[in-house]
Amino acid sequence: MARPDKAAAVAELTDQFRSSNAAVLTEYRGLTVAQLKTLRRSLGENAQYAVVKNTLTKIAANEAGITSLDDQFTGPTAVAFITGDPVESAKGLRDFAKENPNLIIKGGVLDGKALSADEIKKLADLESREVLLSKLAGAFKGKQSQAASLFQALPSKFVRTAEALRVKLAEQGGAE
């Protein structure tokens, strides 16, 4: 790479790959500028959607340690760099692709692991991080309530048993 502008572009893309939790490659052939603007809005605040050059992006991905995407850098490519919750952005991509069949999800990477287009769609079917955390907290609370009930039941059962034994012994002692 002799040109400094290309070197700067590769360095910027490398930084984006390194700082992102996930990156999703798409083909945007046939989409208008207005549709791309709508897509960018649908991805959420924690994602950046950029139209990229395949050769420079492939070099940047390799420099960032991502080699699993090499065969997907064909045709007009754009990358969604996701720094926040990947589920929200995956849902935005999936929903936009349903309305606009010209957007094709090629694949991506999540925390260094390669994802196929089907896996990205499965990721989009997950509930958001907040919902999953609240369900987990509810499950923990339920188990704590069960444990508290159990711990309360043991002493009260012991007291009832001891009282029944005392009454029985008193009756036996009074009968004789």
Side-chain angles (χ1 to χ4, degrees):
M1 249 187 312
R3 293 186 20 197
D5 58 332
K6 287 185 179 183
V10 168
E12 182 181 342
L13 288 168
T14 302
D15 287 342
Q16 286 182 315
F17 273 114
R18 287 183 179 149
S19 65
S20 299
N21 297 340
V24 179
L25 273 63
T26 63
E27 183 175 319
Y28 63 94
R29 186 184 326 229
L31 293 177
T32 65
V33 173
Q35 288 172 325
L36 288 175
K37 188 175 182 180
T38 304
L39 172 59
R40 284 184 174 98
R41 273 190 251 124
S42 70
L43 292 178
E45 296 176 5
N46 298 322
Q48 180 183 2
Y49 189 74
V51 174
V52 295
K53 293 187 180 272
N54 289 331
T55 306
L56 299 180
T57 309
K58 183 176 178 179
I59 292 168
N62 288 333
E63 285 183 11
I66 302 168
T67 57
S68 56
L69 302 176
D70 285 354
D71 59 337
Q72 296 178 6
F73 291 111
T74 57
T77 303
V79 182
F81 293 103
I82 305 163
T83 55
D85 185 14
V87 174
E88 178 186 353
S89 298
K91 283 181 183 186
L93 283 168
R94 178 201 59 198
D95 295 344
F96 187 86
K98 282 181 183 176
E99 295 173 14
N100 300 284
N102 288 337
L103 180 75
I104 299 169
I105 298 172
K106 294 181 180 183
V109 62
L110 174 65
D111 293 327
K113 181 189 175 290
L115 297 175
S116 68
D118 290 335
E119 289 172 324
I120 291 171
K121 289 174 186 170
K122 286 178 186 175
L123 181 66
D125 292 337
L126 289 177
E127 292 174 334
S128 71
R129 183 176 189 270
E130 290 78 20
V131 171
L132 292 174
L133 287 174
S134 65
K135 284 185 176 184
L136 182 64
F140 281 144
K141 184 178 178 187
K143 292 299 179 186
Q144 288 176 342
S145 297
Q146 287 176 346
S149 298
L150 177 67
F151 293 140
Q152 287 176 343
L154 289 175
S156 64
K157 187 173 182 179
F158 174 74
V159 169
R160 285 193 306 271
T161 304
E163 181 62 21
L165 182 61
R166 185 191 64 77
V167 169
K168 185 176 179 181
L169 290 176
E171 288 174 0
Q172 286 178 351
E176 289 178 16

